Amino acid sequence: MKAAFIKNHGSSDQLLVGDLEVPKIKTTEVLVKAKYGALNHIDVFLIKGWPGLKLSMPHVLGSDGSGIVKEVGAAVTTIREGDKVAINPGLSCGKCEYCLSGNQNFCKIFSILGEHKWGTYCEYFKIPEENAIQLPTNFSYELAAAAPLAYLTAWRLLKTQAKIKKDELVLIHGAGGGVSTAAIQIAKYFGAKVITTTSDQEKMKKAKAIGADHVINYKANPNYSKTIYSELTQKRGIDVIVDSVGKLTLPISLRLLKPGGRLVIPGATTGPTTEIDIRQIFWKQLKIIGSTMSNQKEFREVMNLVFNGVLRPVIDKKFQLEEIIDAENYLNESKQFGKVIVEIS
Ligand SMILES: [Zn+2]
């Protein structure tokens, strides 16, 4: 089968497109003939590699995907050959206390599809039955591939972890990312007021178009945190901040929160270490909350809103599988607003 994979770590030019064997499924898995995959920042980290990461090469990347079920294992009961599906990229053991109590993303062996197991940038990918979800008739394969990782992440972090409420003021750093565009829509769905930041005029317009109430250009306005605090909150501070940027923004986030405010952290794209003023945390009695991926219930909740058109993934650009290097470079340079997808077949 045609596949995009790496044989070595390094930069995006390590990505190859070639022929690999079709994966063999277990009795509890389904084999999907892929239509589309969608890019995520984990691709960039995986291509680069990190200390302790040992992949058996060649390794197929890709955490999001959609397609048609080609084959089902003997023990599969809820999915049939020919079903159109999207997938939950969160993989867990299914047997431990966390998995059995519905907290799959606390599982000791929790991982993301494409991280340790072959992903979706290939003609046929396999996935456990419980990770496949049927698409409504006529639902687009493009949107089905673009939605899962970004929306399940944003849903859990705002609804479950931050417990976002109507009329609260939410700041989402970096409007262009997949999780951020999903978070803007989900925050609006819960009736919150959304402030977001971005680096160019075009993205400012797009952020407004999907519902952001205030968009700040942090490049044009290096003092943007002051503008947010003094002008947009009248020195009251922010209720909930979504910070997946990390190193560059975390100290600013702590300063901008109001007393009792909540900081939710689903990632750290600019780096994992930074210096913070701990006094901010106890003086203002802040809550700092981590969030990663979602459980199966949250995945299905948010996908139903996507399927009903209440939440609509923003697709920025479509590449062919053969153009995977260009696609990864586009993502790496943060040129996108929303999701970058690849057409596989
Ligand atoms: Zn488990």
Side-chain angles (χ1 to χ4, degrees):
M1 64 168 182
K2 190 170 68 177
F5 53 89
I6 49 169
K7 282 185 166 172
N8 295 293
H9 293 293
S11 59
S12 57
D13 55 15
Q14 292 298 329
L15 276 162
L16 305 167
V17 177
D19 251 318
L20 294 177
E21 290 283 308
V22 174
K24 288 193 173 50
I25 55 168
K26 291 185 196 151
T27 56
T28 54
E29 291 176 330
V30 302
L31 186 72
V32 179
K33 183 167 174 29
K35 288 278 188 190
Y36 287 91
L39 275 67
N40 289 289
H41 264 284
I42 189 169
D43 298 357
V44 177
F45 299 130
L46 279 164
I47 294 167
K48 211 170 164 196
W50 59 79
L53 175 71
K54 277 211 170 67
L55 298 177
S56 64
M57 301 293 188
H59 182 74
V60 178
L61 299 173
S63 303
D64 275 317
S66 63
I68 303 168
V69 174
K70 194 71 190 160
E71 193 189 336
V72 299
V76 170
T77 57
T78 58
I79 298 283
R80 283 185 295 189
E81 194 187 319
D83 282 351
K84 293 168 62 179
V85 293
I87 56 161
N88 177 354
L91 303 173
S92 60
C93 80
K95 295 174 204 139
C96 70
E97 60 171 309
Y98 295 120
C99 287
L100 293 175
S101 62
N103 294 298
Q104 291 88 358
N105 53 343
F106 287 166
C107 178
K108 231 183 196 169
I109 63 157
F110 186 81
S111 70
I112 300 173
L113 186 72
E115 187 182 8
H116 298 286
K117 295 200 167 131
W118 279 15
T120 56
Y121 301 161
C122 54
E123 278 178 288
Y124 295 94
F125 64 84
K126 62 175 190 171
I127 188 91
E129 172 186 16
E130 64 268 24
N131 287 62
I133 187 169
Q134 277 194 54
L135 305 184
T137 323
N138 300 327
F139 193 81
S140 109
Y141 285 113
E142 280 111 323
L143 293 179
L149 194 147
Y151 279 80
L152 64 82
T153 301
W155 183 254
R156 176 180 176 83
L157 78 89
L158 284 172
K159 179 178 185 264
T160 312
Q161 301 295 80
K163 299 187 168 60
I164 188 174
K165 289 189 281 289
K166 193 173 180 291
D167 297 327
E168 282 192 314
L169 196 51
V170 178
L171 169 63
I172 299 164
H173 287 288
V179 173
S180 298
T181 53
I184 291 169
Q185 293 177 4
I186 291 168
K188 292 308 294 178
Y189 170 77
F190 284 106
K193 275 217 157 47
V194 176
I195 301 171
T196 188
T197 64
T198 185
S199 58
D200 75 62
Q201 292 298 113
E202 215 35 56
K203 288 188 185 181
M204 288 179 77
K205 276 189 220 151
K206 290 176 179 172
K208 278 247 164 95
I210 61 164
D213 297 279
H214 302 280
V215 189
I216 303 277
N217 187 330
Y218 65 83
K219 252 198 190 140
N221 179 3
N223 259 335
Y224 73 94
S225 68
K226 220 173 189 178
T227 308
I228 292 175
Y229 187 71
S230 305
E231 290 173 29
L232 298 183
T233 83
Q234 262 88 56
K235 302 192 176 179
R236 176 184 165 274
I238 307 270
D239 295 291
V240 174
I241 298 183
V242 178
D243 192 336
S244 60
V245 180
K247 186 174 184 160
L248 288 182
T249 50
L250 202 76
I252 296 169
S253 295
L254 291 175
R255 282 202 304 275
L256 281 175
L257 282 166
K258 69 162 201 186
R262 291 101 79 202
L263 173 64
V264 214
I265 303 175
T269 50
T270 59
T273 54
T274 187
E275 201 165 277
I276 59 166
D277 184 343
I278 297 166
R279 292 170 301 182
Q280 294 277 345
I281 300 171
F282 62 79
W283 276 340
K284 295 198 285 184
Q285 306 183 60
L286 303 178
K287 292 189 176 71
I288 299 178
I289 312 163
S291 193
T292 195
M293 299 293 285
S294 81
N295 60 35
Q296 291 284 8
K297 183 168 168 274
E298 291 158 337
F299 164 67
R300 277 158 205 276
E301 277 171 5
V302 77
M303 287 307 285
N304 277 327
L305 293 173
V306 171
F307 291 154
N308 293 335
V310 176
L311 302 172
R312 193 177 163 84
V314 180
I315 295 175
D316 178 283
K317 205 168 162 123
K318 178 160 81 177
F319 290 86
Q320 298 300 308
L321 187 63
E322 289 76 11
E323 305 167 314
I324 189 74
I325 293 178
D326 296 335
E328 294 289 353
N329 287 342
Y330 186 78
L331 182 84
N332 207 11
E333 290 157 17
S334 294
K335 287 184 178 160
Q336 85 283 10
F337 184 89
K339 297 299 290 185
V340 177
I341 63 172
V342 277
E343 185 168 10
I344 292 162
S345 61

